[in-house]
Amino acid sequence: MDISHILNELGEDRSLYFNAVAPPIVQTSNFVFDSFEEIRKAFEDEDSAFLYSRGKNPTIEILRKKLAALDGAEDALVFNSGASAIFAAVLANVGAGDHIVSVDKPYSWAWRMFDNMLPRFHVKTTYVDGTRIENFEKALTPETRIIYLESPNSNTFELQDLEAVAKLARERGILTIIDNSYSTPLHQKPHAFGIDLSLQSATKYLGGHSDTVAGVLTGKKAMLNKIFNEQLLNNGSGISPFNAWLILRGIRTLQLRLEHISATTVKVIEFLKNHSKIERVIFPFDDDFPQISLAKKQMTGACGLFTIVLKAVSHEQIERFTYSLKHFLVAVSWGGHESLILPQAAGMAPGQFDPSVEKHRMARVYVGLENAEYLIRDLDQALSVL
Ligand SMILES: *Cc1c(COP(=O)(O)O)cnc(C)c1O
């Protein structure tokens, strides 16, 4: 399906709302029924009719159609955060005694769920270095129900071979789930490689304006219907109509934003790689990235998120560099209009800092919608303090 059609037209029917160009926010909690038969059908399957906005709502419906199509999936569910999309996808598919194999260093709230919450329900998780397929195979047990992936991850960007992992899992009846927040469906379509469930933090690129927290999960209709009924409705973790509307507005410019950011990022990285105060840059689409050939096989591009290793000798020096930047804000998250920086040292007490540990000198950088020259000038002046 043409991306222009998906972003501009799919799922929209203006005859239903006064020919308004922008779809309305259908801000209602409940819907009226004209017959017992209709209400009975809605009770049987809440995803078949508009009954109550914790489940199905017309504004959210438009977004679901677009997000499913972007991923080339049968269906999509939209959650009130990326974290709740992760929770729903996993919880709907495990029970006591089950085992999960997860790629190591997944998103922080995924590992907190695996390590802190699931063990209380007798679900165990084994982490593997996902850069080698044998590691997944070795970690599997007869109780393994889920292989959880994040390719690339959003700090050091290691990839997993999606096609190989999907094949391994299929042969054993194991469900595969991927966190595809980094790439978005514009740069990676996990279902095309046989991955069962693909999720994203819609807070990042889909929303794109740093004003909404949301999550999306795509996959086969039957699986998503189960997750809708068992998780989304029961946890009340669906998105609100207003936030769905903000994500709808955000994705109108998704392609445009990603193209701009991709072009800017290449220029910024080129500058940083040649700077004497930068030891190295970690970016999955860089020629020096160890998994560049796999990246080129399964991704069509990479955007604005990468990591730099600073030639710094102290915690204080990194803090001074960071706050010398005028246009990069010090904040978590990414995917919005504003450029960001988050050094590892920011989360460490000065006494913990050891310059001989490379990780301590890492800083994650996000390039937003500003122009390359504007950002490069800023980095250049701030690096001079090192
Ligand atoms: C932000 C993020 C999440 C969590 O999404 P929220 O919308 O913040 O709940 C999950 N995975 C990755 C890779 C993220 O960057």
Side-chain angles (χ1 to χ4, degrees):
M1 210 182 288
D2 197 305
I3 186 161
S4 296
H5 171 64
I6 298 172
L7 298 181
N8 286 290
E9 294 153 0
L10 182 72
E12 298 174 62
D13 181 355
R14 296 197 179 90
S15 69
L16 297 174
Y17 36 83
F18 312 105
N19 288 326
V21 169
I25 306 166
V26 182
Q27 188 71 13
T28 184
S29 54
N30 45 357
F31 297 84
V32 177
F33 286 84
D34 293 331
S35 72
F36 279 9
E37 195 195 338
E38 279 178 32
I39 201 162
R40 195 176 63 242
K41 276 195 198 140
F43 282 152
E44 275 165 19
D45 178 8
E46 272 206 49
D47 203 10
S48 71
F50 297 120
L51 171 77
Y52 190 55
S53 285
R54 172 152 39 78
K56 203 175 168 83
N57 170 282
T59 311
I60 301 169
E61 253 344 76
I62 298 172
L63 185 58
R64 284 177 67 178
K65 292 206 174 88
K66 289 184 190 292
L67 295 178
L70 277 181
D71 250 337
E74 284 179 14
D75 201 358
L77 295 175
V78 195
F79 293 85
N80 57 20
S81 69
S84 54
I86 296 172
F87 185 75
V90 171
L91 259 280
N93 290 291
V94 286
D98 287 346
H99 176 244
I100 296 167
V101 173
S102 169
V103 66
D104 60 15
K105 299 188 278 174
Y107 180 68
S108 52
W109 291 99
W111 68 251
R112 285 189 174 113
M113 172 185 69
F114 293 141
D115 287 0
N116 301 341
M117 194 190 318
L118 294 186
R120 290 196 274 122
F121 303 95
H122 304 283
V123 176
K124 282 193 193 138
T125 302
T126 305
Y127 296 98
V128 298
D129 169 357
T131 59
R132 299 174 69 86
I133 185 74
E134 310 87 87
N135 296 343
F136 287 100
E137 201 158 1
K138 273 187 246 156
L140 298 178
T141 74
E143 285 73 42
T144 308
R145 296 286 168 270
I146 292 174
I147 297 181
Y148 185 88
L149 308 173
E150 186 179 330
S151 181
N153 73 45
S154 58
N155 278 306
T156 43
F157 311 104
E158 289 89 352
L159 310 181
Q160 301 99 58
D161 185 331
L162 302 188
E163 200 166 15
V165 176
K167 183 168 176 286
L168 177 75
R170 278 271 150 92
E171 288 165 0
R172 291 159 175 81
I174 297 168
L175 184 82
T176 45
I177 304 175
I178 188 172
D179 182 334
N180 195 38
S181 302
Y182 183 81
S183 298
T184 83
L186 266 64
H187 286 160
Q188 179 165 269
K189 290 192 163 55
H191 299 300
F193 299 105
I195 300 294
D196 298 310
L197 288 172
S198 179
L199 64 90
Q200 294 167 76
S201 168
T203 314
K204 312 296 163 54
Y205 283 127
L206 301 184
H209 294 74
S210 302
D211 55 12
T212 323
V213 175
V216 55
L217 179 66
T218 63
K220 289 240 169 17
K221 239 186 167 58
M223 170 58 78
L224 289 205
N225 191 253
K226 170 174 127 147
I227 295 171
F228 179 85
N229 282 299
E230 286 182 13
Q231 297 293 323
L232 189 145
L233 282 177
N234 220 140
N235 295 338
S237 56
I239 196 170
S240 68
F242 180 64
N243 281 355
W245 186 86
L246 285 172
I247 302 290
L248 260 177
R249 189 169 70 156
I251 63 171
R252 302 282 191 201
T253 54
L254 178 64
Q255 186 179 23
L256 199 68
R257 286 185 284 111
L258 295 200
E259 279 169 9
H260 179 79
I261 291 172
S262 297
T264 310
T265 303
V266 170
K267 291 183 195 161
V268 171
I269 286 180
E270 188 60 28
F271 164 79
L272 289 168
K273 279 182 77 174
N274 291 310
H275 197 286
S276 61
K277 299 291 167 58
I278 300 288
E279 196 166 287
R280 67 185 183 111
V281 176
I282 310 172
F283 180 62
F285 249 57
D286 190 85
D287 287 336
D288 297 332
F289 187 70
Q291 292 177 291
I292 180 68
S293 59
L294 181 60
K296 289 206 161 140
K297 182 193 156 207
Q298 59 194 26
M299 297 161 68
T300 54
C303 282
L305 197 66
F306 59 89
T307 289
I308 53 177
V309 181
L310 296 158
K311 286 187 189 160
V313 293
S314 71
H315 188 271
E316 187 268 331
Q317 222 182 12
I318 294 179
E319 185 163 12
R320 205 144 43 87
F321 156 71
T322 303
Y323 285 99
S324 298
L325 289 163
K326 293 184 172 66
H327 307 310
F328 287 81
L329 310 178
V330 183
V332 298
S333 196
W334 48 274
H337 54 89
E338 78 292 7
S339 289
L340 301 168
I341 184 160
L342 193 61
Q344 286 282 339
M348 303 169 70
Q352 292 174 303
F353 184 83
D354 177 355
S356 70
V357 181
E358 189 190 48
K359 191 177 171 206
H360 292 188
R361 290 182 286 112
M362 285 183 181
R364 192 175 76 173
V365 179
Y366 169 68
V367 169
L369 291 175
E370 303 91 337
N371 292 322
E373 297 67 31
Y374 184 75
L375 296 176
I376 288 170
R377 270 202 308 277
D378 194 25
L379 287 162
D380 198 21
Q381 63 80 21
L383 281 167
S384 68
V385 310
L386 284 185

